Amino acid sequence: MQYSGPSIPPVTGLILSGGGARAAYQVGVLAAIAELLPDAGHNPFPVIVGTSAGAVNAVGLACGALHFRDAILRLTDVWRAFHTGHIYRSDWSGVVRQAGRFVGRNLLGFSGQSPAALLDNAPLRELLSRELDFSGIAAAVRQRRLRAVAVTAFGYESGQAVTFYQGRATVDPWFRHRRVGVPTRLNVEHLMASASIPMLFPPVKVNREYFGDGAVRQSAPISPALHLGANRVLVVGVSGNLQNGDANASVPRPRSVRPPSLAQIGGHMLNSTFIDSLETDIETLERINLLSRLLPDDARSRLGVRPVEVLTISPSQPLDQIAARYREELPRALRPFLYGPGATRSGGSAVLSYLLFEPGYCNALIELGFQDAMAQREALARFLAAERP
């Protein structure tokens, strides 16, 4: 993108969206980046932003920002060895007990000390506490290898998308309609809050408010990276719409006149939560870039409008179809709860694509992410080369 105004030092941001098990795709893209990096220790992303499962990947990279390629390789190893039981209870006793709590508290009105949800994600807390060294963030910021890392969560009381960030003291908080930026020292609770999909996982209390998945009210997913100082961004999505969208494509004809299953409805709701806002924000940013190119330099400077270079990498294949191929990997204790709503059938596999944390599926997404990134290796190599020590 050409800009003839004053030269602005490039500050590259990495944006990792949410999507449960779909975030394995991001790890494949990061594995390709590890191969393309000319300097193994250099972090090419001074600003790292993540939401939901993307927040876990983002903080994992930030914790190892002093040895960036090693951080990517560690993250890849963890995802390749994933089982559903590492994220939420998938054994018979754990599943039945949690289902009983959910029905008792939410449908029968029984009281309880903690908020109930359909799934118990206590194993995720144990995994994050074991695998992440949060002191690495402060060390990377101190040595100027990292400008800021941020995760977004949704406040159930305030109704705001709150971006918790840790970074340099020069980064100011921001206050916009329904979205704010709050400086803090990140810990496991922020990640658990950002990844707590409503109804599926319990809300998490941070300070004085309960929080859930940040994608719920995140109307502008790219905005936190820009607030943190990025002027160019790499967006790794978990939907093929960003790559395969065609405005001239014909509208698909319905293949069935049957009413939608509960899993189909849930899949569309999850897609709306995790995918639609990112796609809309990218379209908005592209329109702003077009407007900024049409304005003269003095008008750009007066209005504070400047182009933001965007490189997007997203799946070249539908992830729900890949999930359908690996549905037999779903733990047996979960199958009765997902069979009835239709999640184990092809029409409802979108829900499965978010919940199937099993090696076959996760490794398939990692391989797809690696291949898709390598298909853009020239553009990706140029993008990474712009941010050098």
Side-chain angles (χ1 to χ4, degrees), residues 51-373:
T51 304
S52 192
V56 175
N57 290 337
V59 171
L61 295 179
C63 289
L66 291 179
H67 305 282
F68 196 70
R69 185 185 293 174
D70 290 343
I72 293 177
L73 297 179
R74 284 197 302 272
L75 191 64
T76 305
D77 289 341
V78 170
W79 273 90
R80 285 193 179 279
F82 260 164
H83 288 277
T84 302
H86 294 147
I87 308 301
Y88 53 89
R89 291 286 298 271
S90 59
D91 57 293
W92 279 106
S93 62
V95 171
V96 173
R97 185 185 304 115
Q98 190 66 18
R101 288 175 180 172
F102 181 83
V103 172
R105 294 180 188 177
N106 294 284
L107 300 183
L108 302 181
F110 297 158
S111 61
Q113 295 297 320
S114 60
L118 285 169
L119 299 172
D120 178 6
N121 62 348
L124 176 60
R125 186 186 301 274
E126 298 173 5
L127 175 71
L128 296 177
S129 300
R130 182 175 65 250
E131 295 291 340
L132 297 178
D133 180 8
F134 287 87
S135 65
I137 297 176
V141 171
R142 188 167 53 249
Q143 298 188 35
R144 305 186 73 80
R145 299 288 189 89
L146 182 69
R147 179 181 176 86
V149 57
V151 303
T152 299
F154 165 66
Y156 282 104
E157 184 69 23
S158 64
Q160 293 180 322
V162 180
T163 299
F164 299 100
Y165 68 89
Q166 181 175 347
R168 299 179 189 173
T170 55
V171 179
D172 295 325
W174 61 89
F175 303 89
R176 298 292 186 271
H177 180 65
R178 294 294 185 185
R179 49 191 174 93
V180 299
V182 179
T184 189
R185 193 175 185 89
L186 294 175
N187 56 41
V188 170
E189 300 305 313
H190 297 102
L191 295 185
M192 293 296 295
S194 182
S196 291
I197 302 175
M199 303 296 289
L200 293 180
F201 300 135
V204 178
K205 192 175 184 180
V206 178
N207 300 326
R208 293 175 294 178
E209 186 175 9
Y210 278 98
F211 287 87
D213 199 295
V216 172
R217 290 298 293 269
Q218 194 177 33
S219 58
I222 299 176
S223 175
L226 305 183
H227 282 293
L228 295 172
N231 50 34
R232 56 201 306 274
V233 293
L234 171 64
V235 179
V236 184
V238 292
S239 165
N241 295 339
L242 295 174
Q243 179 165 308
N244 301 322
D246 183 359
N248 298 318
S250 60
V251 178
R253 293 180 178 273
R255 292 175 294 179
S256 172
V257 294
R258 295 179 180 178
S261 67
L262 186 60
Q264 284 179 295
I265 296 173
H268 285 297
M269 293 178 65
L270 288 172
N271 288 341
S272 176
T273 298
F274 289 107
I275 295 172
D276 291 354
S277 58
L278 177 61
E279 296 174 354
T280 301
D281 204 26
I282 291 176
E283 290 180 358
T284 301
L285 186 58
E286 289 174 345
R287 291 191 182 100
I288 294 175
N289 285 340
L290 177 60
L291 174 63
S292 67
R293 289 198 298 269
L294 297 175
L295 291 174
D297 291 345
D298 58 340
R300 267 195 294 243
S301 178
R302 186 172 61 256
L303 296 174
V305 177
R306 67 175 185 269
V308 177
E309 183 182 357
V310 181
L311 177 61
T312 302
I313 299 178
S314 60
S316 58
Q317 301 176 28
L319 301 192
D320 53 348
Q321 294 182 14
I322 298 176
R325 296 202 297 266
Y326 292 93
R327 57 178 175 266
E328 294 302 322
E329 291 189 344
L330 189 70
R332 293 185 180 275
L334 293 171
R335 294 179 188 180
F337 296 93
L338 295 179
Y339 176 80
T344 57
R345 298 189 291 272
S346 59
S349 56
V351 170
L352 196 63
S353 71
Y354 289 93
L355 297 177
L356 190 59
F357 291 90
E358 291 295 329
Y361 176 59
C362 289
N363 279 279
L365 296 196
I366 291 173
E367 294 303 323
L368 179 62
F370 186 89
Q371 293 170 10
D372 288 347

